[in-house]
Amino acid sequence: MSAPVRERLVTLVRRKDRPVCVMLPGAGGGLNPYLRLASHLGKHYSVYAVRAAGLVPGDTPEDSVAEMADSALAALDGRSPALVFGWSLGGIVGWELCVRLADQGQRPDLVIVDSSPLPRHASSDEDERIRKLILAGLGPRPDEQTVARVERAFRAQVHALAEYATEREYPGRALLLMCADADDGISGRGAALRRWEELAPDLRTAELDAGHYEVFEPRHLDRLTKEIDVFLGREQKS
């Protein structure tokens, strides 16, 4: 039996009486890449993340983006985020979460990092390469049960990405940060950008000079946080 969805909300930075930011993880569900950025956002927000399904004993992975977004909404348990952040898979889950919030009369700011609104088409070799990258993030000697749960969740997420295409517009403010490389299985970044522009009437875009799996590294963090701060009106762009 899966754990209650509300238990998947993880507190990263707690700030009393601050607006809420919610972060959605990429494929594999790991939150470690987000911790430095969460610390930065925590200067102005209480920051939460929604743990991916299937990563704890007895939990079942989700194999559709719609299910992931519904779970993220349920995990918030009535909290009204002022900011939604997602990278890769988390970007489209964040989009679908914001669409659902807009249906309830809320329009949080949305930051998407290197995500595509189009179905993902990748070779088995590419999936295997990404699987190994994700498992490497578990540390030098992860236990077998953890590895098995992460692999099962990853397979479900790959299925979800292959079956998903963004259809609904989001009327709120959105920032799209795209990487210049193509090391994540996103084919046709130009087509992805054009589709995002069709779906988001209030979209700002910028390019990050970092690889898909490098954007949260310390050497790239200043550029990432600067773009987000400018979007949020907290810093003037030089």
Side-chain angles (χ1 to χ4, degrees), residues 119-142:
R120 179 177 181 272
H121 302 291
S123 67
S124 57
D125 287 346
E126 177 65 16
D127 286 344
E128 176 62 13
R129 189 180 68 85
I130 295 173
R131 183 191 71 85
K132 289 179 178 179
L133 283 171
I134 291 169
L135 294 182
L138 299 178
R141 295 181 179 177

Side-chain angles (χ1 to χ4, degrees), residues 23-219:
M23 307 180 82
L24 290 309
L31 298 179
N32 283 343
Y34 283 4
L35 297 183
R36 293 187 187 94
L37 178 59
S39 178
H40 177 82
L41 296 173
K43 297 173 184 177
H44 302 286
Y45 297 90
S46 283
V47 185
Y48 301 88
V50 179
R51 188 184 70 240
L55 299 183
V56 298
D59 206 12
T60 302
E62 295 165 338
D63 63 0
S64 77
V65 172
E67 189 177 8
M68 296 172 192
D70 288 340
S71 292
L73 182 61
L76 287 171
D77 196 24
R79 295 174 179 82
S80 299
L83 175 63
V84 174
F85 176 92
W87 163 69
S88 196
L89 168 65
I92 59 174
V93 176
W95 180 275
E96 292 294 334
L97 172 61
C98 285
V99 166
R100 285 154 173 75
L101 289 168
D103 289 341
Q104 299 178 359
Q106 304 173 51
R107 294 185 180 183
D109 290 335
L110 171 62
V111 176
I112 297 173
V113 177
D114 217 36
S115 302
S116 174
L118 305 172
R120 179 177 181 272
H121 302 291
S123 67
S124 57
D125 287 346
E126 177 65 16
D127 286 344
E128 176 62 13
R129 189 180 68 85
I130 295 173
R131 183 191 71 85
K132 289 179 178 179
L133 283 171
I134 291 169
L135 294 182
L138 299 178
R141 295 181 179 177
D143 66 83
E144 293 181 1
Q145 291 81 9
T146 298
V147 170
R149 288 193 294 270
V150 170
E151 288 185 325
R152 189 167 63 130
F154 175 66
R155 289 194 298 270
Q157 292 161 348
V158 166
H159 173 81
L161 287 167
E163 296 294 321
Y164 173 80
T166 311
E167 298 293 344
R168 294 187 60 190
E169 292 186 0
Y170 177 57
R173 292 187 345 122
L175 170 66
L176 173 65
L177 301 173
M178 294 294 275
C179 296
D181 73 338
D183 67 356
D184 65 322
I186 294 178
S187 60
R189 272 180 166 77
L193 175 58
R194 290 191 294 272
R195 183 59 177 148
W196 281 130
E197 291 172 338
E198 293 172 352
L199 292 162
D202 193 356
L203 179 70
R204 303 183 189 188
T205 64
E207 187 173 286
L208 297 175
D209 185 20
H212 183 80
Y213 296 101
E214 300 171 348
V215 292
F216 302 108
E217 293 180 0
R219 61 195 172 111

